[in-house]
Amino acid sequence: QVRLVESGGGLVQPGGSLRLSCAASGTIFSINVMGWYRQAPGKERELVATLASGGSSNYADSVKGRFTISRDNAKNTGYLQMNSLKPEDTAVYYCNADGFYMSGPQIRALDAWGQGTLVTVSA
């Protein structure tokens, strides 16, 4: 009923920038929190940043000051601007949407994940 599609990943040199997008579609009622997570090879998935509908944001210490999360509520789209990228930022980045969706006449809890987009930071 709800689908998230990430885009914007790719290969970038250290110090470079990328902007990831996450487009949510389907029978969305509301997205309370949109988040970005990442999983590096051989490691567990970790939180990168979250942004609530009220505007409060949360960042992993490793990306503070370099990454910025934003969202366009009208478009149900989230963004992650990544600057000053480092090789240790290399990972598959996933977006997550937490909120509610419509299933027929019912409103159900939403916890959706995208398929991921690969970010590689290398010279």
Side-chain angles (χ1 to χ4, degrees):
Q1 291 88 342
V2 177
R3 184 184 181 206
L4 302 184
V5 178
E6 300 102 334
S7 61
L11 174 65
V12 63
Q13 292 186 341
S17 298
L18 281 176
R19 188 193 194 206
L20 305 183
S21 298
C22 174
S25 61
T27 56
I28 298 166
F29 182 79
S30 66
I31 297 177
N32 297 333
V33 180
M34 184 164 274
W36 288 94
Y37 296 74
R38 67 186 181 187
Q39 187 167 17
K43 295 187 177 181
E44 295 187 353
R45 190 173 298 189
E46 63 176 2
L47 169 73
V48 176
T50 60
L51 179 61
S53 55
S56 60
S57 59
N58 179 49
Y59 293 91
D61 288 342
S62 59
V63 307
K64 282 181 181 177
R66 299 188 298 123
F67 291 11
T68 303
I69 189 171
S70 62
R71 58 191 284 181
D72 183 333
N73 292 326
K75 296 181 179 179
N76 285 324
T77 300
Y79 305 96
L80 185 68
Q81 178 66 43
M82 305 186 295
N83 300 328
S84 303
L85 283 161
K86 304 175 181 180
E88 50 264 43
D89 294 318
T90 295
V92 177
Y93 284 71
Y94 299 88
C95 68
N96 172 263
D98 177 274
F100 298 92
Y101 72 99
M102 299 298 298
S103 179
Q106 295 182 323
I107 298 174
R108 296 184 182 275
L110 170 69
D111 181 13
W113 291 88
Q115 82 288 350
T117 186
L118 177 63
V119 173
T120 303
V121 185
S122 175

